[in-house]
């Protein structure tokens, strides 16, 4: 009997596929169930946000950039505001800085809760998704109370924040922090020790720290590989150096560690929020900004730690009311770029690829812009 | 290294190869000659005092007078950061690929190639990234780019 | 009161109806044909309703596990939601793709649906309430439920879609692997019952301690291995890799729409009820139980097992395809065979009650 003839074939995973988190097309070369190679094709969500920003005033850029990474829209608001403030060398009132930190951390938790839910769903457990979104609802309600929006906030502006928080925000926020802190053990209870979960996640999608750095991977993915790199500590912005928190870190760099790192980060964020609420000073929430905001000509790159890694803006101003160039950088872009490196030739199955894609926490608007 | 130490170190070690530009008033911004790019970048990465192992961001800029390629690099171990750029003219702009130095530049260069029309030399894969594969309407991020449904906002 | 309840045996209604039919003076062949025809239509109706109920129940269970309500709008707790869904599916356009294998594509859902029903010929719903008490009952059930695999493979092949083919191949591999431990656990029961007939098996476990699940130590092991293998046979999470939504979008039924899809969908829930009914018959004493009529006992026990399988689905992540095979061949098969040998030895030595 001759040898059975087998051949590799190609499968289009996406653009519409339940586990590509948006519209990403992964062109898989497969040998049976094994993934031999993966080529990501992006751009299905390209809205040319950078070009639109060049054609808008600074204040108008912020709601556009909300759509850059809508899962953590506060960070997008903040990173642009930070860049503009740095160019104009503007001082921001202290209360505004506290509010920004509270919002950024709440948004980070909301994003990680979505990660928790969608990852569990991609691995086949449908229930945690609802658990994650239930607690996210508390946070989204807080945002709605503050700025009237639940997803794209347009809250953090150049020079401060758009408005002060209502009176009931602080007690509500403390309550939400308490509830989320308690529910975290539920989250861990349903998945962490589950043998199927461990079998699916442990040892899958190993990232090499040196290679990951070279490929520009940042955030929880890098920290799960044992690199203690958190811009809140390493390159402190806003008032993060006032707070006491640890950088969540794990050592193996597999899917399981990436999942645990994010759960740990929720804890640290809760810690920061509690401290910020305790120390919240009275005062203005916005510096005086002229209606025609014109930063002096110059350029600056700022970067912050987003829930998906380093988020940055390279802002070039020519001294007019509109930015000359807004180059945005998001964590997902580099992580998706790095994805083929860790999948190619490792003999992962299609189910592993789904788990890796989920734990990289890639969202496509950030890649396509 | 703090910012001033870094400035001093670069001034003494990269004489004539990295020139401080005036646009970098807030954060220092250097210029590197296009044909010297790979060498300087490699040196920035491998220098034991600098160890710039992380490419944060790179992209094209059209200032209406010239094209620029900006690079924002950082070090994950030394915790400092540096910006530099390569200045190009409008006629047949081209820059060497820095993928050998920082492999993460790959997609940024593809993006730059299609959006700005800056040619990337020695890049192995210049398929369109964000634009459709059959895109034939020029380079949309150029300031002089025009399309029928693209309306510029009036100056305020 | 218990006496009144016990007298509510459904079989009496059938006997009475059969008596009426016999008195009409038709030739015996006609009597047989009519009675079987009526029973067939009745079974079809009951099972279709049951499948609809299970869909609704699954959604309610899922809802409550996930801290929400599930369907609530249509009727009391959304009771006619699935009926409305079924009607909607009937009306949907049957999208006919061009590049399919026409014959295979068309017959796959039909075969799947029919195979799911065939098993009910010899499942005892209550005392004497069985369509035909075949003396090879359990063997027959094992044989006909295997048709489902062929149907899924046909669907996967006929769709001419790579994801569907993945689903079909996965389901074939899975069914073949899990058939082995499933049959081995069933054999444990057959050794003690001494018969393949479903009625005999139920009658051999006539008290609570006579139930096979209570026979120490092999009974519970056989029950657990059977439940695991049955979950895999019914293609349910955590073993639902043939239709793994996040990997294969919808697996074998990706190209099906409208009524054809509904047939797959309903067959899946009927299979769920089948494996639970077999578990009840083999391990939990079938219709046996005090006070209540036998068919109600059977129904309650079966729905209990169905509920267990539903809870599995909504709390566990999905296994990967290779881990699934590994689990079947490296864990379940040795365990069930060891258990079988243990049971046989104890039977030979007479160490049982």
């Amino acid at each position: 009997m001759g040898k059975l003839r087998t051949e590799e074939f190609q499968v289009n995973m996406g653009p519409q596929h339940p586990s590509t988190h948006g519209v990403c097309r992964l062109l898989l070369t497969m040998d049976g169930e094994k993934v031999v190679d993966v080529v990501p094709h992006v751009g299905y969500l390209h809205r040319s946000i950078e070009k639109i920003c060049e054609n808008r005033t600074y204040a108008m850029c912020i709601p556009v950039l909300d759509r850059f990474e809508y899962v953590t829209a506060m960070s997008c608001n903040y990173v642009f505001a930070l860049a503009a403030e740095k160019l104009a060398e503007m001082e921001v009132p202290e209360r505004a800085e506290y509010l920004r930190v509270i919002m950024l951390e709440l948004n980070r938790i909301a994003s990680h809760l979505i990660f928790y839910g969608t990852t569990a769903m991609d691995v086949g457990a449908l229930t945690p998704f609802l658990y994650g979104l239930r607690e996210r609802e508390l946070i989204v309600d807080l945002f709605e109370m503050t700025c009237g929006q639940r997803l794209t906030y347009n809250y953090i502006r150049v020079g401060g924040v758009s408005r002060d928080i209502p009176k009931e925000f602080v007690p509500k926020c403390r309550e939400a922090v308490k509830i989320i802190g308690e529910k975290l053990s539920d989250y861990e209870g349903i998945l962490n020790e589950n043998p199927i979960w461990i079998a699916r996640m442990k040892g899958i999608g190993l990232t090499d720290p040196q290679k990951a750095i070279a490929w520009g991977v940042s955030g929880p993915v890098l920290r799960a590989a044992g690199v203690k790199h958190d811009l809140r500590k390493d390159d402190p912005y806003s008032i993060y150096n006032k707070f006491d928190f640890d950088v969540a870190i794990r050592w193996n760099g597999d899917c399981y560690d990436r999942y645990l790192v994010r759960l740990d980060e929720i804890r640290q964020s809760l810690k920061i929020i509690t401290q910020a609420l305790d120390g919240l000073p009275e005062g203005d929430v916005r510096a005086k900004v002229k209606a025609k905001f014109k930063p002096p000509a110059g350029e600056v790159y700022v970067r912050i730690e987003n829930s998906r890694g380093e988020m940055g803006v390279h802002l070039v101003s020519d001294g007019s009311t509109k930015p000359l160039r807004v180059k945005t950088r998001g964590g997902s872009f580099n992580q998706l770029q790095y994805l083929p490196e860790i999948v190619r030739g490792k003999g992962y199955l299609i189910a592993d690829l789904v788990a890796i894609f989920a734990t990289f926490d890639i969202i496509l608007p950030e890649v396509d812009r | 290294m703090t910012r001033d130490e870094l400035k001093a170190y670069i001034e003494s070690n990269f004489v004539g190869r990295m020139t401080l530009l005036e646009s970098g008033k807030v954060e220092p911004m250097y210029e590197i000659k296009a044909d010297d790019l790979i060498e300087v970048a490699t040196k920035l990465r491998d220098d034991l005092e600098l160890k710039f192992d992380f490419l944060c961001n790179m992209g094209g800029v059209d200032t209406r007078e010239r094209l620029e390629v900006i690079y924002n690099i950082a070090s994950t171990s030394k915790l400092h950061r540096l910006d530099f750029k390569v200045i190009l003219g409008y006629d047949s702009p081209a820059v060497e690929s820095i993928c050998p130095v920082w492999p993460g530049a790959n997609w940024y260069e593809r993006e730059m190639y299609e959006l700005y029309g800056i040619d990337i030399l020695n890049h192995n894969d210049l398929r369109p990234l964000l634009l459709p594969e059959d895109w034939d309407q020029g380079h949309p991020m150029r300031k002089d780019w025009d399309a029928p449904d693209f309306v510029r906002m009036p100056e305020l | 009161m218990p006496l009144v309840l016990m007298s509510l045996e459904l079989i009496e209604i059938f006997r009475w109806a059969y008596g009426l039919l016999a008195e009409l003076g038709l030739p015996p062949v006609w009597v047989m044909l009519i009675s079987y025809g009526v029973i067939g239509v009745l079974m079809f109706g009951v099972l279709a309703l049951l499948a609809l109920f299970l869909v609704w129940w699954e959604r309610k269970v899922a809802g409550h596990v996930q801290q929400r309500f599930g369907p609530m709008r249509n009727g009391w707790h959304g009771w006619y939601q699935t009926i409305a869904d079924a009607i909607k599916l009937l009306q949907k356009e049957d999208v006919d793709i061009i590049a399919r294998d026409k014959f295979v594509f068309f017959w796959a859902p039909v075969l799947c649906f029919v195979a799911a029903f065939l098993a009910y010929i010899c499942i005892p719903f209550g005392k004497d309430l069985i369509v035909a008490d075949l003396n090879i009952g359990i063997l027959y059930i094992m044989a006909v439920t295997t048709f489902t695999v062929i149907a899924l493979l046909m669907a996967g092949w006929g769709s001419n879609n790579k994801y569907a083919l993945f689903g079909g191949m996965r389901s074939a591999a899975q069914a073949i692997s899990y058939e082995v431990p499933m049959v081995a656990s069933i054999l444990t029961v057959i050794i003690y019952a001494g018969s393949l007939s479903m009625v005999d098996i139920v009658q051999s476990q006539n008290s609570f301690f006579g139930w096979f699940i209570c026979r120490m130590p092999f009974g519970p092991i056989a029950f657990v291995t059977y439940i695991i293998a049955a979950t895999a046979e019914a293609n349910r999470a955590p073993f639902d890799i043939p239709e793994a939504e996040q990997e294969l979008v919808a697996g074998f039924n990706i190209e099906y729409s409208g009524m054809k899809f509904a047939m797959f969908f309903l067959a899946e829930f009927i299979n769920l009820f089948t494996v639970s009914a077999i578990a009840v018959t083999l391990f939990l004493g079938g219709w046996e139980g005090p006070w209540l009529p036998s068919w109600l006992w059977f129904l309650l026990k079966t729905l209990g097992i169905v509920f267990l399988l539903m809870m599995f689905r909504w709390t566990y992540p999905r296994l990967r395809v290779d881990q699934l095979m590994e689990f079947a061949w490296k864990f379940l098969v040795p365990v069930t065979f060891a258990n079988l040998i243990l049971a046989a030895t104890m039977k030979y030595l007479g160490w049982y009650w």
Side-chain angles (χ1 to χ4, degrees):
Chain A
M1 201 180 124
K3 198 170 173 287
L4 204 62
R5 198 176 66 92
T6 59
E7 58 185 55
E8 292 172 357
F9 61 103
Q10 293 202 313
V11 176
N12 261 320
M13 189 165 154
Q16 276 96 30
H17 188 282
S19 54
T20 51
H21 297 211
V23 275
C24 174
R25 175 169 150 232
L26 299 176
L27 190 61
L28 310 180
T29 309
M30 305 204 49
D31 176 13
E33 283 263 354
K34 281 201 179 104
V35 179
V36 177
D37 195 4
V38 48
V39 181
H41 288 251
V42 300
Y44 293 91
L45 217 56
H46 181 53
R47 295 145 297 171
S48 61
I49 281 181
E50 290 169 1
K51 183 79 179 173
I52 296 172
C53 283
E54 285 177 12
N55 203 18
R56 295 283 184 279
T57 61
Y58 284 86
M60 292 159 97
C61 280
I62 287 177
V64 175
L65 280 168
D66 267 337
R67 277 83 183 162
F68 163 48
E69 211 263 64
Y70 48 64
V71 181
T72 54
M74 285 286 180
S75 320
C76 316
N77 290 176
Y78 178 67
V79 73
F80 184 78
L82 187 64
E85 283 156 13
K86 218 166 179 181
L87 265 186
E89 293 177 71
M90 184 190 284
E91 282 294 315
V92 177
E94 207 188 359
R95 185 175 171 84
E97 289 285 14
Y98 270 86
L99 289 180
R100 285 173 169 190
V101 168
I102 292 172
M103 296 303 165
L104 286 173
E105 292 306 314
L106 280 175
N107 213 176
R108 188 189 313 277
I109 296 173
S111 165
H112 282 341
L113 287 175
I114 290 190
F115 159 82
Y116 169 80
T118 51
T119 304
M121 199 156 72
D122 284 348
V123 178
L126 300 173
T127 300
F129 179 70
L130 273 291
Y131 287 3
L133 284 212
R134 181 186 60 194
E135 263 66 70
R136 176 178 177 266
E137 200 67 8
L138 295 170
I139 295 171
V140 174
D141 283 346
L142 286 173
F143 287 149
E144 191 181 4
M145 185 193 286
T146 314
C147 59
Q149 289 290 340
R150 292 166 68 84
L151 193 65
T152 50
Y153 309 110
N154 190 16
Y155 179 65
I156 297 171
R157 306 278 177 86
V158 178
V161 296
S162 73
R163 69 185 84 167
D164 205 348
I165 48 172
K167 242 195 205 89
E168 62 272 23
F169 180 90
V170 175
K172 274 267 167 73
C173 187
R174 279 186 202 281
E175 200 192 323
V177 166
K178 191 163 156 281
I179 292 174
I180 294 168
E182 285 165 2
K183 294 286 181 191
L184 264 182
S185 56
D186 277 12
Y187 298 158
E188 293 176 341
I190 196 171
L191 289 180
N192 277 17
E193 302 295 323
N194 187 319
I196 301 179
W197 180 257
I198 291 174
R200 284 294 305 277
M201 304 294 261
K202 271 229 167 109
I204 303 298
L206 293 169
T207 45
D208 173 63
Q210 290 312 315
K211 264 191 156 179
I213 291 173
W215 278 88
V217 173
S218 51
V221 180
L222 192 58
R223 285 198 285 281
V227 181
K228 202 165 186 168
H229 177 68
D230 187 329
L231 295 177
R232 289 176 294 177
K233 287 267 194 207
D234 293 354
D235 190 2
Y237 51 94
S238 192
I239 46 165
Y240 273 105
N241 44 18
K242 283 189 185 172
F243 301 119
D244 166 43
F245 67 99
D246 299 322
V247 177
I249 183 167
R250 298 272 162 170
W251 306 97
N252 295 329
D254 55 4
C255 289
Y256 192 66
D257 279 8
R258 290 197 276 276
Y259 156 78
L260 287 181
V261 155
R262 291 198 171 90
L263 283 192
D264 290 347
E265 265 182 34
I266 297 181
R267 288 223 165 75
Q268 299 303 330
S269 292
L270 291 174
K271 218 162 136 185
I272 296 174
I273 294 169
T274 315
Q275 290 172 42
L277 286 174
D278 289 341
L280 187 64
E282 292 298 317
D284 283 342
V285 294
R286 201 165 180 196
K288 290 264 173 298
V289 182
K290 275 187 231 143
K292 278 190 180 176
F293 176 68
K294 282 186 194 170
E299 56 191 307
V300 68
Y301 177 71
V302 296
R303 51 181 190 158
I304 65 168
E305 184 72 25
N306 182 28
S307 61
R308 284 175 183 74
E310 176 177 332
M311 175 182 269
V313 162
H314 188 104
L315 186 64
V316 185
S317 161
D318 56 355
S320 73
T321 53
K322 298 177 202 164
L324 185 74
R325 172 77 163 118
V326 182
K327 173 78 183 86
T328 50
R329 184 249 200 243
S332 300
F333 191 78
N334 285 60
Q335 272 132 23
L336 187 59
Q337 187 180 188
Y338 181 52
L339 181 78
E341 287 296 305
I342 65 167
V343 174
R344 190 177 295 142
K346 299 275 167 58
Y348 289 131
L349 303 182
I350 191 165
D352 294 328
L353 177 67
V354 169
I356 294 167
F357 196 90
T359 50
F360 267 37
D361 202 12
I362 293 162
I363 64 162
L364 270 296
E366 199 185 10
V367 179
D368 295 346
R369 297 186 296 265
Chain B
M1 254 190 262
T2 63
R3 185 189 300 169
D4 296 330
E5 282 169 9
L6 184 66
K7 219 169 170 175
Y9 187 86
I10 284 178
E11 262 163 35
S12 58
N13 281 281
F14 291 86
V15 186
R17 307 178 87 177
M18 291 176 78
T19 32
L20 194 62
L21 294 173
E22 61 161 341
S23 67
K25 273 174 297 195
V26 189
E27 298 261 337
M29 169 64 87
Y30 295 90
E31 190 204 332
I32 296 181
K33 294 275 171 293
D35 45 357
D36 202 18
L37 176 65
I38 294 292
E39 266 176 58
V40 175
T42 316
K43 199 167 177 229
L44 283 171
R45 187 191 63 179
D46 294 340
D47 191 312
L48 290 178
E49 289 297 311
L50 298 174
K51 277 193 181 170
F52 282 111
D53 51 1
F54 189 86
L55 178 81
C56 302
N57 184 23
M58 68 177 279
V61 178
D62 183 355
T63 61
R64 292 196 187 85
E65 289 135 27
R66 62 193 185 199
L67 288 173
E68 294 170 352
V69 181
I70 46 164
Y71 299 84
N72 311 111
I73 54 175
S75 165
T76 50
S77 48
K78 301 275 178 185
L79 311 182
H80 45 225
R81 214 177 59 66
L82 185 76
D83 302 329
F84 62 87
K85 67 167 76 168
V86 174
I87 294 173
L88 306 166
Y90 270 119
D91 41 310
S92 65
V95 69
E96 195 83 16
S97 164
I98 58 158
C99 288
V101 188
W102 295 291
N106 194 325
W107 280 18
Y108 289 99
E109 287 177 346
R110 273 170 73 181
E111 183 192 326
M112 216 157 66
Y113 173 71
E114 60 177 350
L115 295 183
Y116 278 94
I118 297 173
D119 197 12
I120 312 293
L121 306 172
N122 298 328
H123 192 286
N124 54 3
D125 172 25
L126 281 176
R127 284 174 297 127
L129 181 73
L130 300 175
L131 298 180
E133 273 163 28
D134 53 354
W135 180 263
D136 57 354
Q137 298 178 40
H139 308 293
M141 287 297 282
R142 290 269 185 106
K143 288 286 179 188
D144 56 0
W145 182 76
D146 246 323
D149 55 349
F150 178 69
V151 183
R152 264 171 226 287
M153 211 179 85
E155 194 65 41
L156 289 177
Chain C
M1 184 63 186
L3 272 175
V4 178
L5 279 173
M6 277 184 84
S7 64
L8 286 173
E9 288 291 359
L10 282 178
I11 189 69
E12 299 302 332
I13 301 170
F14 287 103
R15 288 201 175 121
W16 171 75
Y18 188 76
L20 283 185
L21 191 66
E23 279 171 21
L24 285 176
L26 292 167
V29 178
W30 280 101
V31 172
M32 195 187 78
L33 281 179
I34 291 174
S35 58
Y36 274 115
V38 169
I39 287 172
V41 171
L42 215 60
M43 287 289 281
F44 182 82
V46 167
L47 287 175
L49 278 182
L50 204 62
L52 288 180
F53 167 75
L54 287 180
V55 174
W56 171 80
W57 200 33
E58 169 109 66
R59 293 174 70 177
K60 292 306 273 191
V61 169
H64 285 277
V65 169
Q66 297 171 347
Q67 319 245 330
R68 54 191 177 88
F69 291 113
M72 279 304 266
R73 293 304 165 103
N74 301 323
W76 180 80
H77 284 255
W79 68 269
Y80 66 81
Q81 177 71 52
T82 47
I83 299 175
D85 284 348
I87 293 170
K88 182 201 73 180
L89 276 176
L90 283 174
Q91 292 170 336
K92 283 265 172 182
E93 184 194 354
D94 183 18
V95 179
D96 207 1
I97 48 173
I98 296 165
R100 84 276 188 239
D101 186 331
K102 195 174 179 186
F103 178 81
V104 176
F105 185 76
F106 179 80
W107 285 103
V110 178
L111 183 62
C112 188
F113 202 56
V114 170
F117 278 99
L118 278 181
Y120 283 85
I121 289 183
C122 54
I123 286 179
F125 287 89
K127 202 168 178 351
D128 298 336
L129 198 63
I130 184 168
V131 178
D133 181 18
L134 302 182
N135 58 0
I136 52 156
I138 185 72
L139 180 64
Y140 165 80
I141 292 178
M142 295 313 300
V144 293
T145 46
T146 317
F147 277 132
T148 314
V149 183
I150 300 173
L152 301 193
L153 204 51
M154 278 164 71
W157 178 258
S159 301
N160 191 13
N161 180 313
K162 283 166 189 163
Y163 285 118
L165 189 59
F166 267 132
M169 294 309 287
R170 279 178 173 197
S171 95
Q174 182 187 8
I176 290 165
S177 309
Y178 278 85
E179 204 92 331
V180 180
M182 191 172 178
V183 172
S185 2
I186 290 174
L187 272 181
T188 320
V189 175
I190 293 170
I191 287 175
Y192 281 86
S195 167
L196 290 172
S197 150
M198 295 296 265
V199 173
D200 287 352
I201 290 172
V202 174
Q203 277 166 353
S204 71
Q205 34 185 340
N206 46 12
S207 70
F208 177 71
F209 290 103
W211 291 6
F212 279 108
I213 194 176
C214 298
R215 305 253 175 125
M216 291 299 161
F218 45 83
I221 300 175
F223 178 71
V224 170
T225 47
Y226 173 81
I227 286 290
I228 294 171
T231 318
E233 281 286 305
N235 289 339
R236 288 182 63 83
F239 306 110
D240 61 341
I241 53 158
E243 48 198 298
E245 186 188 313
Q246 286 76 23
E247 296 151 30
L248 304 184
V249 190
F252 58 86
N253 60 27
I254 190 167
E255 295 287 1
Y256 284 91
S257 54
M259 196 57 215
K260 284 181 188 152
F261 170 73
M263 282 165 108
F264 276 120
F265 194 61
L266 291 182
E268 189 184 323
F269 279 89
I270 292 170
N271 280 334
L272 170 66
F273 194 81
T274 315
V275 294
S276 309
I278 297 171
V280 168
T281 313
L282 295 180
F283 295 98
L284 301 176
W287 70 74
E288 298 282 353
W291 307 310
L292 297 176
S294 58
W295 58 272
L296 197 56
W297 266 116
F298 174 81
L299 201 63
L300 286 178
K301 286 175 185 174
T302 311
L303 290 182
I305 299 288
V306 170
F307 182 72
L308 186 69
L309 295 185
M310 283 181 181
M311 288 303 284
F312 284 162
R313 174 164 181 181
W314 296 108
T315 43
Y316 278 113
R318 182 186 303 114
L319 274 171
R320 214 168 57 203
V321 59
D322 60 325
Q323 291 165 346
L324 188 93
M325 294 297 151
E326 226 173 84
F327 184 66
W329 291 104
K330 291 187 182 165
F331 178 77
L332 272 187
V333 170
V335 166
T336 47
F337 275 94
N339 193 37
L340 184 62
I341 292 167
L342 176 74
T345 316
M346 287 177 78
K347 166 95 179 174
Y348 179 72
L349 297 173
W351 292 350
Y352 67 97
W353 69 90

